[in-house]
Amino acid sequence: MLTSPCFYLFSIWKVILSLLGQAVIGQAALIAADIGMPATLSAIGVGLLSAGNGLGRPLSGWLADRFGSWKLMVALSAIFVFLSIGMVAAYQGSYAHLLILLFVLLGLAYGSMALLASSFTGEIYGMKYYRLNYGVVSSTSIVGTLVASYISINKTAPGSYLNFFYIMIGASLFSFLSVVILPFSIRRMNRKYEHT
């Protein structure tokens, strides 16, 4: 698995979306406070984000079974691009209800990541070394956890989360690119091992 380019393309996709999700989740209440959202509404928004995270797991399982893991991965990248642009609009315009909607969508999208790591590993690399391979794929979350703290540092200097949201747009687009070219890498890997 570690010698195949598709593992690294998947890891880029997973790390980017995981770190963006973790970064926003960790700062959700502060982002809400920054736009002047009342504490009660902010608490509801953060609670709905967590509910979305939980609901995203069975929902993504159903969607992956129906449409396939790769299509769901592409959809999640597209959702993160939309979320990133929406965060800029909600933050600049202090649109509390839009921000809450974005929190719910973020929770749903982030909750889907755990399922896709598992299904990708089984679908692409088979079940022979599934436990070890899944452990390696899951360990890519470490990068996301470490980098997620960047958002709080990034906010300190300019006094705004806007810079992070702009970075979020670029990173989401990059994740979209990595997942779009993933099938070509998988086909190339499969052709290679058909002849060995």
Side-chain angles (χ1 to χ4, degrees):
M1 184 178 74
L2 292 175
T3 63
S4 64
C6 54
F7 165 73
Y8 296 97
L9 287 171
F10 175 79
S11 295
I12 288 167
W13 174 84
K14 182 176 179 289
V15 166
I16 288 174
L17 296 192
S18 293
L19 74 87
L20 294 178
Q22 289 178 45
V24 175
I25 289 167
Q27 300 286 311
L30 296 174
I31 292 169
D34 239 27
I35 68 165
M37 191 184 294
T40 304
L41 194 56
S42 173
I44 291 169
V46 173
L48 288 172
L49 192 161
S50 297
N53 186 359
L55 183 61
R57 295 161 198 262
L59 178 62
S60 61
W62 177 75
L63 290 170
D65 283 343
R66 188 169 176 85
F67 301 106
S69 295
W70 179 75
K71 287 181 180 176
L72 181 55
M73 290 165 64
V74 171
L76 286 175
S77 282
I79 288 168
F80 264 89
V81 172
F82 167 77
L83 286 169
S84 304
I85 296 168
M87 288 283 182
V88 171
Y91 192 80
Q92 283 188 316
S94 297
Y95 301 129
H97 292 92
L98 174 59
L99 188 63
I100 290 174
L101 173 63
L102 294 170
F103 281 170
V104 173
L105 290 175
L106 178 78
L108 288 167
Y110 183 75
S112 301
M113 302 295 296
L115 171 112
L116 285 168
S118 173
S119 63
F120 171 84
T121 306
E123 287 173 17
I124 305 306
Y125 297 104
M127 301 307 290
K128 186 173 182 182
Y129 300 107
Y130 174 77
R131 291 174 185 83
L132 176 58
N133 287 341
Y134 180 61
V136 173
V137 168
S138 296
S139 69
T140 59
S141 298
I142 295 169
V143 179
T145 304
L146 293 174
V147 178
S149 60
Y150 172 74
I151 186 173
S152 58
I153 299 166
N154 189 267
K155 198 258 180 182
T156 305
S160 167
Y161 286 105
L162 273 178
N163 282 351
F164 172 75
F165 295 143
Y166 291 134
I167 292 169
M168 195 172 164
I169 293 170
S172 299
L173 288 168
F174 191 69
S175 80
F176 185 81
L177 176 63
S178 72
V179 79
V180 164
I181 63 176
L182 182 60
F184 301 101
S185 180
I186 293 169
R187 282 197 290 272
R188 187 175 176 186
M189 179 188 73
N190 289 340
R191 281 197 301 270
K192 176 184 175 183
Y193 287 104
E194 279 173 6
H195 302 294
T196 58

